[in-house]
Amino acid sequence: MTEEEDRKPRPDEARYDPEITSEFALPAGIAVPEAGVEPETTSEFAVPKGLATPQPAAGEPEGSAFSMPSAYSAHDVTAFTPASGFPTVSLVKDAPWQDRMRTMLRMPVAERPAPEPVQKTEEDGPAVPRVLDLTLRIGELLLAGGEGAEDVEAAMFAVCRSYGLDRCEPGVTFTLLAISYQPSLVDDPVTASRTVRRRGTDYTRLSAVFRLVDDLTDPETHVSLEEAYRRLAEIRRNRHPYPGWALTGASGLLAGAASVLVGGDVLVFVAAAIGAMLGDRLAWLCAGRGLPEFYQFMIAAMPPAAIGVAFALAHVDVAASAVVTGGLFALLPGRALVAGVQDGLTGFYITASARLLEVMYFFVGIVIGVLTILYFGVKLGGRLNPDATLPGSERPLLQIAASMVLSLTFAVLLQQERSTVLAVTLNGGVAWCVYGAMHYAGGISPVASTAAAAGLVGLFGQLLSRYRFASALPYTTAAIGPLLPGSATYFGLLSMAQNEVDKGLVSLAKAASLAMAIAIGVNLGSEISRLGLRVGSARKRRAAKRTRGF
């Protein structure tokens, strides 16, 4: 062996060269594994040793996610679908769009009927973002006007379907509107949203929006996207049907009629009207200065309470309690209460919680305003009896007339169309007749009587709205005015002002029960009216089924 060959390292010695500093080098004394003992495949999806490789079924493309599993047979279909199959959905064409859209919204997406676009004027239809923007603008006006969340979703879904967008999912909360459209399973969805930052009570505008949606869903009335935008702009620019002075006068008449309803005379009528008008003007002044609605309600509740306390301090022989009660009728948030309970009953719990929280804030503002005046009145020696009862059963004809005037003025405050004022006035009179017959003549509890009367209001209001293809709010909200718990609220606050907290809480709990009875009764009457309407499969509107709360 030559000297050069002796210097050349052997192959096995090269692996154990101490000069090699790699941390992956095998330490001395460990045998080198022979090639072929361990597979070089490092994928975690590799088949382990000893397990047979699965063979694809005959006719099944390898790697397909949509192929039928090998253990699945056609005889197992009944385990996944009902025995009778899925029912065919067939909606009546001439039914109100509210019921048709509400029915489809309560269905799974796979079971909804195919859309029949009636407003598509081009071959490819209008641009999707513009349709979604129009839908959100219409939903904003409805939600800002006090419409229920379910009806707002139905209107948004109706607008999208009228322009050929079927796979849409609208979402409504108290301040946020959102809608998502997915053209197909492989296309990216298009989502848009809009925030409702300001609310205003104008039922004339609400009715105009309902007519626009009705025209969009009518197959015989072709409304292009540009025409829909133009009509929507006109609705936004529309002036209120009643001026500010008329609203102030209506507020005074409402308070005066409410005071007569609970037993007041002519002097009480005038005093309650003056107090309500002063409170309304002060509220307008606060609104112009940018104060929140909480403080507006608090300040508006003070003048009627101050006039009632002034009568008590002057020892004037009048029903001072009726003056304060009449002023409270013009402030109680019955509209927001009904909308909040309706959203809760229809499954929109987030929106319902927000609406009821808003009602609570308004009510707390009224409580603070009235309680402040009553506290100082009691400290000054005013004799106000919280155990007094307001006479009312001895003048049924006068009460019926007062309830109709109250409903009429309430309709004016809600900015309703003049064509609906007469219907809602009669509806309010009928509601008070039912309440008086059940409570005063029949001796039934006021909560049950209020619920029955409110249910009749909801029933008639829903039927009138279906007859006119309009919203039910203008026919129900003003009609529940005579049923609002003004006297129970006042006596509860008076008891608390005189340091009788227990009695005050009991009276306030009674007022809350009456308010809930009104809201639930209106919603129940509306649901009963829908049971008799023929809307195809809408008569079996699906709702969530639960067992023992799960």
Side-chain angles (χ1 to χ4, degrees):
M1 181 182 295
T2 63
E3 185 177 354
E4 295 180 357
E5 292 177 352
D6 187 45
R7 293 177 182 176
K8 187 176 180 180
R10 297 177 181 179
D12 55 346
E13 293 180 354
R15 291 188 176 92
Y16 307 108
D17 190 352
E19 295 181 0
I20 299 176
T21 58
S22 173
E23 61 182 2
F24 297 102
L26 293 176
I30 297 180
V32 180
E34 298 180 0
V37 176
E38 181 179 354
E40 298 180 358
T41 306
T42 58
S43 172
E44 61 182 2
F45 298 102
V47 180
K49 183 178 180 181
L51 185 64
T53 305
Q55 299 296 328
E60 177 183 355
E62 185 177 359
S64 174
F66 300 97
S67 59
M68 183 179 297
S70 58
Y72 183 82
S73 63
H75 299 287
D76 298 331
V77 176
T78 55
F80 298 94
T81 58
S84 58
F86 291 109
T88 303
V89 179
S90 177
L91 301 178
V92 179
K93 299 289 185 180
D94 56 350
W97 62 265
Q98 301 99 305
D99 289 326
R100 289 187 284 115
M101 297 301 112
R102 187 183 293 109
T103 301
M104 283 186 283
L105 280 174
R106 293 187 178 185
M107 295 179 184
V109 178
E111 299 180 25
R112 293 175 183 172
E116 297 180 3
V118 298
Q119 307 298 339
K120 187 180 285 189
T121 56
E122 304 174 4
E123 183 179 357
D124 297 331
V128 172
R130 295 196 66 195
V131 175
L132 297 184
D133 179 70
L134 176 67
T135 303
L136 291 174
R137 291 176 183 271
I138 289 177
E140 179 189 11
L141 287 180
L142 293 176
L143 187 62
E147 192 63 66
E150 188 178 28
D151 289 331
V152 175
E153 279 196 359
M156 295 171 64
F157 190 68
V159 175
C160 288
R161 282 182 65 91
S162 65
Y163 286 104
L165 307 185
D166 179 38
R167 303 178 64 88
C168 288
E169 288 298 333
V172 177
T173 58
F174 186 57
T175 58
L176 182 64
L177 297 168
I179 189 165
S180 178
Y181 168 68
Q182 188 173 12
S184 65
L185 293 176
V186 297
D187 292 330
D188 295 332
V190 181
T191 304
S193 62
R194 196 174 185 89
T195 302
V196 180
R197 303 188 183 277
R198 183 181 179 185
R199 285 174 170 79
T201 305
D202 190 346
Y203 282 180
T204 300
R205 179 180 297 175
L206 193 68
S207 301
V209 176
F210 263 74
R211 284 193 293 269
L212 174 59
V213 178
D214 186 45
D215 291 340
L216 291 175
T217 57
D218 187 5
E220 299 180 357
T221 305
H222 297 281
V223 181
S224 63
L225 196 62
E226 290 72 16
E227 177 67 16
Y229 267 108
R230 185 190 63 80
R231 289 180 57 177
L232 193 62
E234 290 181 355
I235 293 173
R236 286 181 174 274
R237 292 194 300 265
N238 184 29
R239 297 184 61 185
H240 298 306
Y242 308 102
W245 62 267
L247 298 180
T248 302
S251 178
L253 287 177
L254 190 152
S259 65
V260 174
L261 196 65
V262 295
D265 52 12
V266 178
L267 182 59
V268 171
F269 178 91
V270 175
I274 293 175
M277 287 189 289
L278 287 176
D280 181 76
R281 286 294 91 191
L282 288 176
W284 276 98
L285 183 62
C286 294
R289 297 295 185 271
L291 285 178
E293 286 184 299
F294 176 85
Y295 301 104
Q296 297 177 27
F297 274 78
M298 183 180 68
I299 294 175
M302 288 183 176
I307 293 178
V309 170
F311 279 154
L313 292 175
H315 303 287
V316 180
D317 189 15
V318 296
S321 300
V323 178
V324 184
T325 301
L328 290 179
F329 266 85
L331 298 175
L332 294 178
R335 173 182 58 87
L337 175 67
V338 172
V341 174
Q342 179 182 356
D343 288 340
L345 294 176
T346 52
F348 294 85
Y349 301 114
I350 297 178
T351 307
S353 302
R355 288 186 189 271
L356 294 178
L357 185 62
E358 181 188 39
V359 171
M360 187 193 73
Y361 272 104
F362 291 163
F363 190 76
V364 170
I366 296 172
V367 167
I368 293 176
V370 176
L371 201 57
T372 302
I373 300 299
L374 293 180
Y375 178 79
F376 285 106
V378 171
K379 289 299 182 181
L380 292 176
R383 296 181 179 180
L384 298 170
N385 185 11
D387 297 327
T389 57
L390 295 175
S393 59
E394 302 176 357
R395 307 177 299 174
L397 296 179
L398 186 60
Q399 279 186 312
I400 294 173
S403 65
M404 296 178 68
V405 173
L406 193 152
S407 299
L408 186 148
T409 52
F410 207 167
V412 173
L413 288 176
L414 294 174
Q415 299 283 0
Q416 291 189 195
E417 292 180 308
R418 293 180 175 87
S419 59
T420 64
V421 171
L422 178 60
V424 75
T425 300
L426 296 176
N427 200 7
V430 172
W432 182 259
C433 290
V434 173
Y435 173 80
M438 294 181 65
H439 179 55
Y440 295 123
I444 303 176
S445 66
V447 176
S449 303
T450 300
L456 197 63
V457 168
L459 176 63
F460 287 165
Q462 198 65 232
L463 293 177
L464 287 172
S465 67
R466 291 303 183 265
Y467 174 73
R468 292 177 174 264
F469 287 83
S471 172
L473 288 181
Y475 300 99
T476 58
T477 305
I480 65 173
L483 304 176
L484 293 176
S487 57
T489 303
Y490 163 70
F491 285 122
L493 299 180
L494 181 58
S495 298
M496 296 181 69
Q498 294 184 351
N499 229 3
E500 297 178 357
V501 181
D502 294 339
K503 290 183 179 180
L505 292 178
V506 170
S507 186
L508 291 179
K510 178 183 177 181
S513 301
L514 292 174
M516 292 297 293
I518 292 173
I520 295 175
V522 170
N523 182 265
L524 182 61
S526 301
E527 294 295 332
I528 291 175
S529 68
R530 293 193 184 104
L531 295 178
L533 296 176
R534 183 174 178 270
V535 198
S537 62
R539 292 187 298 175
K540 300 180 181 180
R541 293 186 304 148
R542 297 186 178 183
K545 294 182 179 180
R546 297 186 178 184
T547 303
R548 298 184 180 92
F550 297 102

